[in-house]
Amino acid sequence: MAPATRLYTMCAVLGLMTCGSLNTIMLKISFTVQGTNMEGEVEYFKKPWFVTFIMFLSMTVSLLFDRDLWRSQTSKLAANLIDGSPPQQAAGGMMSWRKKVLWVGVPSVFDILATGLGSMGFLY
């Protein structure tokens, strides 16, 4: 593996671990926010599914950026992250963006569900 590719992979893994940890910390912080209700009493923000919905919106917005990156990548050949070799096209050509989104969509649904259930676990 080329040193530049190894560095890129290490930075990507470190970035994912950092962002995942920060996501959990910010989720816990959001549940310690206090506000005043209609009766004038102070209470905590206990809306785990609202926080999950915000995460869902963020993932949906990221699809717009991914679509642009996918378009620019199909016009150029990018090096494979694992061994630095140029990508091999299958007999049917490259996977379409729609098919990629459908393949990633199934684990994403479980990720959102796990976030919602984890949020419930933080509170109750």
Side-chain angles (χ1 to χ4, degrees):
M1 183 183 321
T5 305
R6 185 177 306 226
L7 178 66
Y8 179 78
T9 303
M10 287 176 23
C11 288
V13 169
L14 183 63
L16 287 171
M17 289 174 48
T18 302
C19 290
S21 299
L22 287 174
N23 182 33
T24 304
I25 291 168
M26 294 306 293
L27 183 68
K28 186 66 176 167
I29 288 172
S30 71
F31 293 143
T32 61
V33 173
Q34 296 179 351
T36 306
N37 63 12
M38 299 289 279
E39 289 83 34
E41 300 168 346
V42 176
E43 62 181 33
Y44 286 102
F45 179 81
K46 293 185 178 180
K47 311 257 188 282
W49 293 106
F50 177 75
V51 175
T52 305
F53 178 68
I54 296 299
M55 184 178 170
F56 171 75
L57 284 178
S58 301
M59 290 174 125
T60 305
V61 169
S62 71
L63 285 175
L64 300 173
F65 296 105
D66 183 63
R67 178 69 178 184
D68 288 339
L69 286 173
W70 188 264
R71 284 183 184 164
S72 67
Q73 183 182 8
T74 54
S75 63
K76 300 181 252 176
L77 288 177
N80 192 345
L81 282 178
I82 296 174
D83 59 4
S85 64
Q88 302 293 324
Q89 289 191 1
M94 290 185 69
M95 181 186 305
S96 69
W97 182 78
R98 179 184 169 104
K99 185 174 181 180
K100 182 191 120 175
V101 169
L102 291 175
W103 272 93
V104 172
V106 173
S108 297
V109 167
F110 289 113
D111 183 32
I112 291 289
L113 183 63
T115 300
L117 294 174
S119 299
M120 295 290 287
F122 274 145
L123 292 177
Y124 306 110

